[in-house]
Structure formats: structure tokens, C-alpha cells
Amino acid sequence: MRNYLVAGNWKMHGSTAANAELLDGVIAGMPQSAAVSLLVCPPFPYLGTVADKLSGTGIALGAQNVSQHESGAYTGETAPSMLKDVGCEYVIVGHSERRHGMGESSEMVAAKFRAAQEAGLIPILCIGETQAEREANATEAVVDEQLNAVLDDSGIEAFRMAVIAYEPVWAIGTGLTATPEQAQDVHRHIRDLLASKDGDVADGVKILYGGSVKGDNAAGLFGKPDIDGGLIGGASLKSADFLAIAEAAASLD
Ligand code: PEP
């Protein structure tokens, strides 16, 4: 049976009260299906309280970013071991809002990926092209460069305990979604690149799609053979919207 991962990236949204209301709704309505796993990634200040709330629910906790350093004079940064300490299982690395908005290079993302794994976290490696890159037919070159930076640094075996999220930048928060066929093509390309190094690792790795996934387009995307779930931004902020996506995954079981 396939296991879909539906992951909510709350970005810089929420408050103690709003998070509690959101999670109450998600916990009450989550599909009771072994075919779907849920994960939420709140902002840093809420990780501890969200961890308490999720205890015993089966919903996993992740962070949205991590330092590549383990400790030291890095004001404002958060070490991988600290995320682990407060209950995170996952951490997003290389989200386009950090690559493009905060100047994170592929090398820095690769270092974060490695540091996260060394601390026992499962990195969710985000890769994807901008609109201009797609129009220049550079989609595959861009995802290859972003993926190869991590492969060069951590090796193919590292992908036994990692998740990839293909997120075309032009589809994030814009309401534009890649068609299931466009997404599948890139997911297949990513899996083929991994398979050229190790077929077993390539078969096992989850490749999520991210970019304006909603309840009404999730089943079409997740129904494709190389799409193993979604990284969800805007639609993870309301329980009904997030649950509609989780239900779409469960319906494909
Ligand atoms: C994201 O933040 O990773 C994302 C995919 O956002 P949205 O679903 O809002 O496009």
C-alpha cells in the first residue's frame, strides 16, 4: 500500500490560540487511514506547545528551517539538535522562500540537510524552478543542480531517510498549480536521477509536490505514479482545507 505524506508548512502564520483551534480541527477530522501520514511545520516559537498537542495523535512535527551549525555564536539560529530536543522528526530545508528570499545557496542547503540528518531529523529537501527558468526550458537543469549539491555532499544513501519536495516557485502561493502531468514529469525525472545512483533508494524515497495544492486538485496530483503527497502552504492554515487534501490522499488508497 502506498503511504502519502501530507505536510503543512504554516510559514510565518499563527498564534497560540489560532494554532490550538487549527490543530483541534485537524485532530478531530484526520482520516483514519494507514495510507496517509500528516505532518505540521509551525513557526519556531510554537514547536514545543504544538509538540505537546500532537502527542499521541500520530501527527508528526517538523520545523521550517535549521542551522547547518551544531552550536556556537550564531545569533538567531536554531541547531538541529534543538529541533530534535523539542520533538521534531522533520525539518524543511531549501524552501524557495529561503533560497530566493534569504539568499540560501545550494551548498548551504546541502550543509543544512547533512546537519539535520546527523542530528536524527528527516530533512524535506525543497527543489524547484522559477517561472523564468521554466520558460527557458531549464527546469531539469535547475532541479539537477539543487539535488546534486546534496548528493555530492551527503551521498545517495542519505535519501533513505529524507523526503524531497518538488515545488515550482511559480506555483507557490500564487494559485497557479502545475498540472498533474507537468508535476509527474519532473517527479519522474527526479526519481530517475536518483535511480541512476541506486534504484532501491529511488523507489523508496517520498517525492512530494508543493505549489497551491487544494482539496480540489490534490487527488489529480497524488494519483500520479511518482507523487507521494504534498507540501501544503496556504491550505494548511484552515483545518477543513488541510483535511480535504488529506481525504483526497486517503481516497486513493
Ligand atoms: C509552500 O509553502 O511550500 C507552498 C507550497 O505554499 P502554497 O501551498 O501556499 O503554494
Side-chain angles (χ1 to χ4, degrees), residues 122-145:
I122 300 173
I124 301 176
L125 172 67
C126 298
I127 57 178
E129 82 288 0
T130 62
Q131 177 82 49
E133 288 163 343
R134 176 161 279 263
E135 284 166 5
N137 287 324
T139 298
E140 293 186 357
V142 169
V143 300
D144 287 0
E145 185 276 326

Side-chain angles (χ1 to χ4, degrees), residues 9 11 95 97 167 171-174 210-213 231-234:
N9 172 17
K11 311 196 191 199
H95 192 281
E97 287 154 16
E167 299 208 301
I172 297 179
T174 59
S212 299
V213 178
L231 182 55
I232 319 298

